[in-house]
Amino acid sequence: MKRETQNILLILLGGALVKIALNGDYLRYVKPAQQPWIIAGGAVMVLLGAVAIVRDLVVRRAVPEEHDGHSHSARPAWLLLVPVLAVFLVAPPALGADSVIRTEARVPASAAAANAAAFPPLPAGNVVPLSVNEFVSRAGWDAAGTLNGRTVSLTGFVVHTEGRTLLARLVISCCAADAFPVTVRLRGGEADRFASDTWIQVTGQVVPGTATKATSYTPDLTPASVTTIPTPKDPYEY
C-alpha cells in the first residue's frame, strides 16, 4: 500500500471515530464513559495522517520522485477505504433480537450482591420505573419479594423466540463485544403483534417465582399496558 493511501485511510478512520463520538453513534458499541477516549484517539489519528501528508509533500518537493519504469495499480489499496467510508457515512445498528436469540440469558451481574445484602424497598408510587437488569435481579434473587404486587415500568425491545414474546435489553460491561441479554417473558399476548426489535414500554406486575435457573432467570410479567417508543439513543444497560 502506498504511503498516500495509508495516510488518507488514517485520516478517514480517525474522522469516523470523532464523528460517531460526537453524534452519539458510539453508544452502539461502547459505554458512555468511553466517549472522551474515542474523541482523543480519533483526533490523534487525524493529526498523524495530516502531518504525514504534509511531510511527504515537503520531501517530494525537495527530492523529485524517481520512476523505475514499472506501473502498479493502486486499485486494491484504495478498496481498503470502502469499509472505512461505510462506517463514516452509515453506522451499523446496535445489537438486537438476533443477539438475544443466539445468546442465552443469564444472571445479571447485580444479582451477585443479593447474597450479601437485601435489595432496598422500591420507591413509593403507583408505577415504579426500573431497568430490565434490576427487574430480573429482583425477580430471581430478592427473597423479600419487593416486586410482588407492585406495578413497574420497563423499557426494551421485542424478541419472538420459541413461541414466546420477550422484552429484552442487552447489558454491557465495556463494549458490545461482551454484551449479554436480560429478558422478561410477556404474558397475555398483548405484545405479540409487535415485530422483533420494536422498542416498547411495558407496565405490569411480576409473576412471583418465575425467574429460576430452569427459565434462564427470565421472569414472567403480566402487562397492564404496552406502548411503542422510539429507539433510544443509548440502547444498552450497564
Side-chain angles (χ1 to χ4, degrees):
M1 184 189 299
K2 290 186 176 181
R3 286 181 57 86
E4 297 91 334
T5 307
Q6 292 176 343
N7 296 333
I8 293 174
L9 184 63
L10 193 62
I11 290 174
L12 286 176
L13 184 57
L17 289 176
V18 172
K19 177 194 173 187
I20 65 174
L22 294 178
N23 68 12
D25 285 343
Y26 78 99
L27 292 171
R28 301 177 184 181
Y29 315 106
V30 297
K31 298 174 67 172
Q34 303 297 325
Q35 184 188 39
W37 299 104
I38 298 174
I39 293 175
V44 169
M45 294 173 71
V46 171
L47 179 61
L48 290 175
V51 169
I53 289 175
V54 171
R55 181 191 59 191
D56 289 347
L57 290 175
V58 171
V59 171
R60 283 187 180 182
R61 289 181 180 179
V63 181
E65 183 178 0
E66 296 182 1
H67 298 277
D68 59 5
H70 299 283
S71 61
H72 300 280
S73 174
R75 181 176 301 175
W78 282 102
L79 288 176
L80 294 175
L81 298 177
V82 173
V84 179
L85 286 172
V87 173
F88 192 85
L89 298 174
V90 181
L95 301 177
D98 287 342
S99 297
V100 174
I101 293 172
R102 293 195 304 265
T103 308
E104 183 180 6
R106 69 175 193 242
V107 181
S110 59
N115 294 327
F119 287 93
L122 292 177
N126 293 329
V127 179
V128 180
L130 291 177
S131 68
V132 177
N133 194 12
E134 182 178 357
F135 178 80
V136 172
S137 297
R138 285 177 179 267
W141 294 83
D142 182 13
T146 54
L147 286 176
N148 297 347
R150 298 298 302 275
T151 300
V152 300
S153 174
L154 305 175
T155 298
F157 56 89
V158 174
V159 178
H160 296 293
T161 179
E162 298 179 347
R164 302 176 299 162
T165 299
L166 306 177
L167 176 76
R169 291 296 291 265
L170 287 156
V171 181
I172 66 174
S173 300
C174 175
C175 61
D178 61 30
F180 68 90
V182 285
T183 54
V184 177
R185 181 188 177 191
L186 301 178
R187 287 191 174 186
E190 189 174 352
D192 293 353
R193 66 183 186 276
F194 299 114
S196 286
D197 288 319
T198 301
W199 280 84
I200 59 175
Q201 186 175 60
V202 181
T203 63
Q205 294 189 4
V206 70
V207 179
T210 52
T212 64
K213 185 176 181 179
T215 63
S216 297
Y217 299 96
T218 296
D220 287 7
L221 180 81
T222 303
S225 66
V226 181
T227 56
T228 58
I229 61 171
T231 301
K233 195 69 176 176
D234 186 356
Y236 301 115
E237 291 185 357
Y238 309 98

